[in-house]
Amino acid sequence: MRVLLKEILDCTPDAAWHAIHSPAVFREVSSPFMAVESLEPDGFPTRWEPGEHPAVFSMLGLVPMGTQIIRLANSTHRPDGVRILRDTGRGVSGALSAVTLWDHRMAIAPDPAGTGKTLYRDQLIFRGRPATIALWPTFWAFWQWRMLRLKSLAPTWQHDVGIDDPNFVPLSQRESDDGN
């Protein structure tokens, strides 16, 4: 089954790209219906990098849903300039393990109208043993909620080079590290 959404977000594509790599944004757009806690040794990182990120999910923060591996990959070298964050994770335990196929793609591109805003496309393809049809309304409703939250948060996102880049070292600090 598939859920597909498309919206213009009121932020730059760079800010949207940065935001969809943020575990804090992920938790914010999932709240209050789904609470997510990291199972990584040091908790969620500030910014998700490609790879596997185990997490435990609970509905409304009360009903355990199980453990899921969030498996992220970036596609940033497309000729059309679209950047895609793809999650092909899997449920490991609990109700989440009933989902046998998970392919979630979030595509970021400049608004074709030239507004400086972001064209955001969100596609979820899933399968869940014999429960696929029963799961679709739940995923569809949750994805509508996520999109509403993304649209409301997007104007607050900004990508400030130097603040948002964990590898950034201010020029003044680089000079002092060199002994100058």
Side-chain angles (χ1 to χ4, degrees):
M1 299 294 288
R2 183 171 90 151
V3 178
L4 180 62
L5 300 172
K6 179 171 79 169
E7 287 287 346
I8 299 296
L9 299 180
D10 189 10
C11 64
T12 67
D14 286 340
W17 182 248
H18 185 74
I20 66 172
H21 283 81
S22 167
V25 169
F26 171 67
R27 293 175 75 192
E28 182 71 22
V29 301
S30 300
S31 169
F33 299 108
M34 193 64 65
V36 185
E37 297 298 325
S38 175
L39 293 176
E40 295 185 57
D42 296 323
F44 282 130
T46 303
R47 177 178 164 83
W48 268 325
E49 297 297 332
E52 293 191 352
H53 305 277
V56 62
F57 290 69
S58 60
M59 189 172 17
L60 301 171
L62 302 170
V63 180
M65 296 303 294
T67 302
Q68 180 169 333
I69 300 296
I70 300 167
R71 183 182 302 120
L72 300 175
N74 292 321
S75 175
T76 58
H77 301 292
R78 293 170 44 114
D80 59 5
V82 175
R83 293 176 277 182
I84 298 173
L85 176 60
R86 183 177 185 191
D87 174 11
T88 56
R90 69 189 189 292
V92 176
S93 69
L96 297 175
S97 65
V99 178
T100 58
L101 170 69
W102 185 266
D103 188 355
H104 179 206
R105 298 174 194 215
M106 294 166 276
I108 302 294
D111 177 5
T115 64
K117 296 179 182 181
T118 300
L119 173 60
Y120 176 82
R121 290 170 286 183
D122 196 334
Q123 174 180 265
L124 172 64
I125 298 172
F126 69 93
R127 201 171 318 137
R129 294 188 184 128
T132 301
I133 292 173
L135 289 171
W136 188 85
T138 302
F139 282 128
W140 182 88
F142 184 64
W143 249 245
Q144 303 305 311
W145 172 255
R146 281 175 37 96
M147 186 59 81
L148 287 172
R149 296 294 296 139
L150 285 166
K151 284 184 70 168
S152 71
L153 291 170
T156 69
W157 298 336
Q158 56 186 358
H159 181 68
D160 295 330
V161 174
I163 294 172
D164 294 333
D165 181 353
N167 299 316
F168 179 79
V169 177
L171 182 59
S172 60
Q173 187 176 351
R174 278 186 268 163
E175 291 171 355
S176 65
D177 288 345
D178 293 337
N180 295 332

